Amino acid sequence: MPSKSRTVVLIACSSRKLDRPARAGHLYQGTLFRASLDWARRQAADAICILSAKYGLVALDQVIKPYDLTLNDLPVVEIRAWSERVLDQLASRFDLERDRFVFLAGERYRRFLVPRLTHAAAPLARLKIGEQVSWLQRKVGGRHAPRPKDETAGSCQAIHDWANAVPRHELPMSPEKVPRNGLYIVFERGERAHGGDRIVRIGTHTGNGNLPGRLREHFIAENKDRSIFRKNIGRALLGRDGNHRLLEQWNLDLTSRAARERFGDDVDRKALREVEARVSDYIRERFSFAVIEEPNRARRLQLEKELIGTVAQCPECGPSESWPGRHSPVERIRESGLWLTQHLGARPMASGATQKLRSGEATTRSDETRPRPTSARTTQSARKRKYGALHDFLQTASDVVDLSFVELERILGAPLPASARDYRPWWANHEGANKSPQSRAWQSAGYRVDGVKLGERGSVRFVRIGGPEASGEKARPPTAKNHGQISTHGGRARSFEWSLDHDTLRIESESGMSHAYDLAEILGIIRLLQTHFRSNWFPLANNVEKLHHGTERYGLGGAIHQQRPGDTLHAQGASYLGVVLERADIFEWNGKARAIQWRIRHMPDDAEDLRVALESAAR
């Protein structure tokens, strides 16, 4: 042990990160994190470490991968387990009785650590987030003083100079006055950066010709479940009011009928309509935007990521003290100063690339320029021709057809609309005369949609009507053993069958939904849960929409999703997989129909040990 006590500064991680592996001191990009690190480096501390929600205690030069986990989403029992892990890591490097530990971290990070340390301090404990940043910046003599004005700041300056100079749309807007394809850049009154109005949101669309519709959802239509932009503004306004009861209702996604049936009686619809009206008023009073016309889908998606990454990581951009987003319950919004959460850690735009914006290679549109009008009849005819290619393809296909969205777009010869990637109802098997063009295409070919996975890496399964898959007579591989019918837990228990086919666990639900998990994958899932929760309880946590948007807390669903990122349908099978592993005496269930949790009872040594446990469960 050293003869002299040491000072150790412990900094909480941030949700805003680069989108690639990096040294921890550079990976985290949150405003508070950067200010904390600047302050810590000026204290002549003996050591500076990061408190990571995933990795525990992390050194600044340790290379780690980005992740999506925060202690704010974890129950107390899991935070306690995380704290025990961090204490073990601290004890291996420092003297817990003699050394002094300075916490630049929130209460959840400190809660179970401080009582176990003899000398601990938390200079920011009584300050709000914005006050913490201001305090740290004052102490170091300016905003991010130790970081030189780098290329990112220069690129962000150029982006702001360009965006502030192009024609601007005011609200209320006329959707027909914007191009059909492109990006939009949003400004907010009262927010300033780089000598002009500060950019507070950058966005685009995936479907061909859908930019006017996307802007209508954000700025005109009062439906927060169709616009995460509107939902985030409402969250901040309710957070500023301290109205947590209504905030919980506002966070609910009531798009699906199942959600409306489940939560409908608990929702104050009148109050939610009033919040929608408040959001509309705020948008009309505070926002304006510019538009970049870009017909090529791949180029506009890439440009969106580069623009967001540049603005989010600029050391000279930040929200004002009065910006409502500071009251958002979403940490990424509070830290970034942007009304968005995706692509914050994307690689920033190189300084040379900003010349393309200034040179006019990306076209801008304002209210003074109008796209050539297209008649409704022409549009409807084009849509029929577009989905006719799908009809032709299916007529010569097998009984079951699995297509990724990318493969489907190749068949169509055109991009899918944004709603196909974001909204499950787009894939409905409509009945009657008013079928959607896409539904008419696959149904007239003799198929129905049997399952869909949303998102950029989405996919869809078509099943021939009356075929073996549709009638529930799917033939099993001859080596598969049917291990009987069991049910999931919960108020809406669902029956299912499971079988072990060589190295694959196969699950068939009563509705015909199928899931398959190979033994190596299951072993990886269990090991992830053991690393994260040890012997503590973990939740089911397999809400498809939350997994898609990255807002679901970590649990069995998240561990499955981590094995196959983007495949939310695969992760939804957690409710079945958990019961099977429970039957195999690997998991222990908490016995509750709501707030379902398991914990690891037995950790298989390898895939063969897992196979033996599953085969024993079948006897």
Side-chain angles (χ1 to χ4, degrees):
M1 289 291 179
S3 58
K4 181 182 176 182
S5 64
R6 295 170 292 180
T7 297
V8 182
V9 179
L10 302 173
I11 305 173
C13 62
S14 70
S15 60
R16 182 175 154 201
K17 307 174 185 71
L18 299 176
D19 63 353
R20 57 190 181 280
R23 296 179 185 273
H26 185 59
L27 177 76
Y28 300 101
Q29 295 292 309
T31 302
L32 179 57
F33 177 88
R34 303 310 310 179
S36 298
L37 184 57
D38 291 348
W39 180 86
R41 283 171 169 162
R42 280 168 166 68
Q43 305 311 303
D46 296 286
I48 301 173
C49 298
I50 298 169
L51 297 175
S52 163
K54 179 175 182 179
Y55 299 106
L57 190 71
V58 177
L60 294 181
D61 60 354
Q62 182 177 339
V63 177
I64 57 177
K65 295 180 180 180
Y67 57 91
D68 189 11
L69 180 67
T70 171
L71 293 192
N72 295 328
D73 297 332
L74 300 181
V76 173
V77 65
E78 296 174 22
I79 297 175
R80 189 188 295 274
W82 174 88
S83 301
E84 291 294 332
R85 174 187 176 193
V86 171
L87 281 167
D88 290 343
Q89 293 172 315
L90 285 171
S92 69
R93 296 185 54 185
F94 308 108
D95 188 330
L96 303 189
E97 294 183 359
R98 300 186 59 183
D99 291 341
R100 177 174 178 264
F101 298 89
V102 180
F103 285 83
L104 302 181
E107 189 272 340
R108 289 204 165 200
Y109 288 82
R110 305 189 312 264
R111 182 174 183 180
F112 299 111
L113 295 177
V114 170
R116 306 280 287 276
L117 304 171
T118 305
H119 306 287
L124 306 178
R126 296 182 179 273
L127 302 178
K128 297 178 180 179
I129 296 292
E131 294 171 338
Q132 292 179 32
V133 174
S134 298
W135 186 90
L136 292 165
Q137 291 172 353
R138 285 197 303 271
K139 293 295 183 180
V140 299
R143 183 177 176 82
H144 302 305
R147 297 181 73 195
K149 185 170 182 177
D150 56 14
E151 183 179 5
T152 301
S155 296
C156 192
Q157 174 77 60
I159 290 169
H160 275 80
D161 289 346
W162 164 79
N164 274 272
V166 301
R168 192 86 62 90
H169 289 268
E170 298 292 339
L171 298 169
M173 57 163 279
S174 299
E176 68 273 6
K177 295 182 179 180
V178 299
R180 298 178 66 246
N181 297 290
L183 300 92
Y184 58 91
I185 298 176
V186 181
F187 305 91
E188 187 169 351
R189 183 166 56 83
E191 294 298 309
R192 304 283 292 175
H194 298 292
D197 292 336
R198 183 172 72 87
I199 295 172
V200 296
R201 181 178 173 86
I202 298 160
T204 186
H205 59 104
T206 55
N208 185 38
N210 199 43
L211 178 58
R214 196 71 183 125
L215 293 174
R216 187 185 300 109
E217 288 176 340
H218 287 330
F219 298 133
I220 298 176
E222 294 190 345
N223 186 347
K224 49 91 176 176
D225 291 332
R226 297 292 186 184
S227 168
I228 190 63
F229 182 35
R230 293 184 64 88
K231 179 170 281 189
N232 281 331
I233 294 172
R235 285 168 171 165
L237 296 179
L238 291 171
R240 186 174 61 182
D241 296 345
N243 193 338
H244 301 296
R245 182 190 64 82
L246 193 55
L247 176 58
E248 290 180 359
Q249 297 181 24
W250 180 261
N251 282 330
L252 295 174
D253 187 342
L254 301 175
T255 304
S256 68
R257 182 170 62 183
R260 291 192 294 272
E261 291 175 351
R262 180 178 179 184
F263 301 111
D265 295 338
D266 301 325
V267 170
D268 187 340
R269 298 185 182 278
K270 180 180 178 181
L272 291 181
R273 286 195 296 270
E274 291 174 353
V275 179
E276 290 277 16
R278 285 184 63 193
V279 171
S280 295
D281 290 342
Y282 187 86
I283 288 174
R284 283 192 292 268
E285 294 172 2
R286 304 292 292 270
F287 290 110
S288 59
F289 64 96
V291 176
I292 310 170
E293 185 173 16
E294 176 52 74
N296 185 280
R297 176 177 178 270
R299 280 199 296 267
R300 65 176 178 264
L301 291 175
Q302 181 61 33
L303 183 56
E304 177 197 35
K305 292 176 64 174
E306 292 179 356
L307 289 172
I308 292 175
T310 305
V311 175
Q313 297 170 44
C314 175
E316 299 183 4
C317 273
S320 67
E321 292 297 326
S322 61
W323 186 58
R326 289 187 180 276
H327 300 277
S328 172
V330 182
E331 184 181 8
R332 291 183 180 183
I333 290 176
R334 295 196 307 268
E335 291 189 348
S336 68
L338 299 173
W339 292 111
L340 48 82
T341 60
Q342 294 187 341
H343 309 316
L344 299 175
R347 190 179 299 276
M349 180 176 288
S351 57
T354 60
Q355 298 294 330
K356 295 181 179 180
L357 300 175
R358 292 194 291 268
S359 66
E361 288 188 32
T363 307
T364 59
R365 285 286 190 94
S366 71
D367 288 340
E368 287 74 39
T369 58
R370 296 171 178 258
R372 187 172 63 184
T374 304
S375 70
R377 179 175 295 180
T378 302
T379 302
Q380 187 177 22
S381 175
R383 291 174 68 190
K384 287 182 178 179
R385 290 196 303 272
K386 173 181 177 180
Y387 297 112
L390 173 60
H391 171 275
D392 295 342
F393 172 83
L394 290 174
Q395 284 207 310
T396 59
S398 59
D399 287 339
V400 181
V401 182
D402 289 303
L403 294 173
S404 70
F405 287 169
V406 173
E407 292 170 331
L408 183 54
E409 286 175 331
R410 291 194 187 121
I411 294 170
L412 298 177
L416 287 166
S419 52
R421 282 181 159 81
D422 296 338
Y423 303 115
R424 203 170 299 277
W426 193 91
W427 297 97
N429 298 296
H430 294 132
E431 301 295 336
N434 297 320
K435 294 181 179 179
S436 62
Q438 64 272 18
S439 177
R440 189 181 301 278
W442 65 67
Q443 288 185 342
S444 62
Y447 287 78
R448 64 175 175 84
V449 169
D450 187 61
V452 61
K453 176 171 73 73
L454 301 177
E456 281 302 305
R457 298 181 180 179
S459 61
V460 59
R461 167 171 286 192
F462 297 98
V463 175
R464 190 184 301 278
I465 299 172
E469 183 83 4
S471 59
E473 301 171 359
K474 181 181 175 182
R476 296 183 181 274
T479 54
K481 268 189 172 183
N482 185 352
H483 294 327
Q485 191 174 70
I486 54 179
S487 298
T488 59
H489 302 309
R492 297 184 178 180
R494 296 181 297 275
S495 299
F496 68 97
E497 295 180 350
W498 68 280
S499 61
L500 194 60
D501 171 20
H502 292 300
D503 291 330
T504 302
L505 173 66
R506 299 188 183 278
I507 293 169
E508 295 288 336
S509 73
E510 59 184 359
S511 63
M513 185 68 71
S514 62
H515 299 276
Y517 305 93
D518 62 60
L519 297 184
E521 179 187 11
I522 297 173
L523 193 63
I525 292 167
I526 300 171
R527 285 173 175 168
L528 282 173
L529 293 169
Q530 184 190 48
T531 300
H532 196 87
F533 298 99
R534 294 191 178 181
S535 60
N536 297 297
W537 297 99
F538 52 85
L540 172 59
N542 68 333
N543 182 284
V544 172
E545 300 301 331
K546 288 184 178 180
L547 286 169
H548 173 59
H549 293 292
T551 58
E552 178 65 285
R553 61 177 175 161
Y554 196 72
L556 178 56
I560 297 174
H561 196 242
Q562 197 170 339
Q563 296 284 314
R564 199 184 294 183
D567 193 344
T568 52
L569 188 63
H570 190 59
Q572 193 179 23
S575 56
Y576 306 103
L577 179 61
V579 173
V580 173
L581 294 179
E582 177 191 329
R583 287 294 184 96
D585 206 32
I586 293 172
F587 284 177
E588 177 186 355
W589 175 40
N590 67 351
K592 296 182 179 180
R594 300 190 66 178
I596 296 169
Q597 290 186 318
W598 289 281
R599 61 184 174 190
I600 297 174
R601 180 192 292 271
H602 163 68
M603 179 67 210
D605 294 328
D606 50 30
E608 188 57 35
D609 189 18
L610 175 61
R611 183 202 305 279
V612 170
L614 289 170
E615 289 178 346
S616 297
R619 298 191 183 104

